[in-house]
């Protein structure tokens, strides 16, 4: 299984990658923003997505990024975010195969 993590905070990204490796997921690649994620997802055999919602220095947020990535091919999505407002949660609910942490 190959996992794409999209997280703009280097410290958080490194912690998540390490936690995934600790439980046996060694095939994890990381992107800092939407542009890099779209490039990686188009070129690689990624089959699982972990996306931050608030992506600094990206034209779109993680929810809109999920929509764009899933147009390329379907994969399960987990959103990692501190956002828990009603609008954000309603947007996440519209994404197929998504969970929210």
């Amino acid at each position: 299984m190959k996992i794409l993590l999209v997280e703009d905070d280097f410290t958080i990204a490194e912690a998540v990658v390490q936690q995934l490796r600790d439980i046996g997921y060694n095939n994890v690649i990381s992107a800092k923003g939407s542009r890099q994620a779209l490039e990686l997802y188009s070129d690689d055999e990624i089959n699982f997505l972990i996306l931050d919602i608030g992506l600094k220095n990206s034209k779109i947020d993680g929810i809109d990024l999920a929509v764009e990535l899933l147009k390329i091919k379907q994969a399960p999505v987990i959103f990692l975010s501190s956002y828990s407002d009603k609008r954000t949660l309603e947007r996440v609910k519209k994404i197929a195969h998504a969970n929210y942490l």
Side-chain angles (χ1 to χ4, degrees), residues 36-71:
Q36 185 182 18
L38 285 162
E39 290 171 6
L40 289 169
Y41 197 65
S42 296
D43 294 338
D44 277 319
E45 291 299 316
I46 295 162
N47 46 21
F48 197 90
L49 301 166
I50 301 175
L51 308 175
D52 182 19
I53 290 179
L55 297 171
K56 298 177 190 90
N57 302 318
S58 287
K59 292 184 179 185
I60 58 176
D61 68 8
I63 299 170
D64 290 333
L65 175 60
V67 170
E68 293 303 312
L69 292 173
L70 295 174
K71 286 179 184 175

Side-chain angles (χ1 to χ4, degrees), residues 1-100:
M1 172 182 290
K2 186 178 266 189
I3 299 171
L4 173 61
L5 168 67
V6 184
E7 171 60 64
D8 59 340
D9 183 304
F10 178 77
T11 304
I12 294 172
E14 286 297 308
V16 171
V17 168
Q18 188 57 53
Q19 290 172 351
L20 289 168
R21 288 184 178 145
D22 288 348
I23 60 173
Y25 294 101
N26 295 315
N27 204 358
V28 181
I29 57 174
S30 182
K32 294 178 182 146
S34 58
R35 181 181 296 169
Q36 185 182 18
L38 285 162
E39 290 171 6
L40 289 169
Y41 197 65
S42 296
D43 294 338
D44 277 319
E45 291 299 316
I46 295 162
N47 46 21
F48 197 90
L49 301 166
I50 301 175
L51 308 175
D52 182 19
I53 290 179
L55 297 171
K56 298 177 190 90
N57 302 318
S58 287
K59 292 184 179 185
I60 58 176
D61 68 8
I63 299 170
D64 290 333
L65 175 60
V67 170
E68 293 303 312
L69 292 173
L70 295 174
K71 286 179 184 175
I72 298 168
K73 64 181 173 190
Q74 292 295 305
V77 179
I78 293 179
F79 291 102
L80 295 178
S81 184
S82 61
Y83 295 110
S84 60
D85 59 278
K86 186 175 181 175
R87 181 178 177 273
T88 298
L89 294 175
E90 288 301 317
R91 290 178 64 212
V92 167
K93 287 179 186 178
K94 295 178 183 177
I95 306 297
H97 311 290
N99 282 305
Y100 184 88

